[in-house]
Amino acid sequence: MLGTTTAPAAESARSTPSAPARTAHRDGCRGQGVDDSALIRYESDIVIDAPMSTVWKLQTDVERWPSRQPPVTGSERLDTGPLRRGSRFHWTTPVPATPTTPATTLGITSTVQEIRRGHCVLWRGPAVGEGLRIDEGIHLWTFTKVGGRVHVHTEGTWTGSQVEADVPTATAALGGGLETWLHDLKATAEARS
């Protein structure tokens, strides 16, 4: 997800100790994870003071993302039933201009690659806007109960010649988006608990 793009987000990715989290989440979701060869990558963690059921429902109820996450301006399921492997959804998010790309709205079509209820979800897909294309974005979310709270770990990677032309800016955009997502998820889940 693209979101607020700030240099501090990219700096945070470099300066926070991520090796323990990466090791702890190396198995990904049922053995699948982000693109290890991607030049653009970011990972982060947050602890949410809410029950797992609340956090999980908020994260996987993709059609309601716009009501709890301002950077998501639209979201629709492209199939029916519970979110499962193979489920597809289309969502949109505005992105600001960068030195190499115009301000635009990205349309993202994601396919769930793996899901384990209450533990993890992994989706991937392209993001396309006027003047901007991410050939493939992969997002991994893992959830671990810690007492009455939930530790959420996320990792994301992007590939594509356009975003790879400016890795620091793209990394800052990916990081800013994931940090915003985590904080919005935390605020909503804790408000409902």
Side-chain angles (χ1 to χ4, degrees), residues 50-71:
M52 177 67 79
S53 59
T54 300
V55 176
W56 181 257
K57 180 161 179 53
L58 289 168
Q59 182 68 9
T60 60
D61 190 357
V62 299
E63 290 178 306
R64 292 204 171 100
W65 284 351
S67 68
R68 71 151 186 90
Q69 189 166 315

Side-chain angles (χ1 to χ4, degrees), residues 11-98:
E11 185 61 34
S12 170
R14 286 189 293 272
S15 65
T16 52
S18 60
R22 183 175 297 264
T23 302
H25 299 282
R26 198 72 180 146
D27 292 336
C29 188
R30 296 184 188 251
Q32 292 194 44
V34 297
D35 183 346
D36 286 334
S37 66
L39 297 176
I40 300 153
R41 61 177 48 256
Y42 189 89
E43 65 181 281
S44 190
D45 298 86
I46 202 163
V47 175
I48 301 174
D49 191 11
M52 177 67 79
S53 59
T54 300
V55 176
W56 181 257
K57 180 161 179 53
L58 289 168
Q59 182 68 9
T60 60
D61 190 357
V62 299
E63 290 178 306
R64 292 204 171 100
W65 284 351
S67 68
R68 71 151 186 90
Q69 189 166 315
V72 176
T73 56
S75 185
E76 67 176 310
R77 284 286 302 273
L78 302 177
D79 50 36
T80 58
L83 201 65
R84 62 192 176 283
R85 188 170 189 221
S87 290
R88 296 178 68 233
F89 51 97
H90 182 80
W91 49 292
T92 55
T93 187
V95 295
T98 72

Side-chain angles (χ1 to χ4, degrees), residues 25 28-30 52-53 55-56 59-60 114-122 140-145 150-154:
H25 299 282
C29 188
R30 296 184 188 251
M52 177 67 79
S53 59
V55 176
W56 181 257
Q59 182 68 9
T60 60
E114 281 299 337
I115 189 167
R116 186 171 166 217
R117 183 172 175 78
H119 294 282
C120 59
V121 62
L122 174 76
L140 169 66
W141 300 85
T142 58
F143 306 85
T144 307
K145 287 183 185 179
V150 179
H151 174 254
V152 181
H153 176 79
T154 186

Side-chain angles (χ1 to χ4, degrees), residues 98-112:
T98 72
T100 57
T101 60
T104 189
T105 296
L106 284 177
I108 305 157
T109 302
S110 296
T111 302
V112 175

Side-chain angles (χ1 to χ4, degrees), residues 159-177:
T159 56
S161 59
Q162 190 175 21
V163 291
E164 289 167 0
D166 186 353
V167 171
T169 298
T171 301
L174 175 58

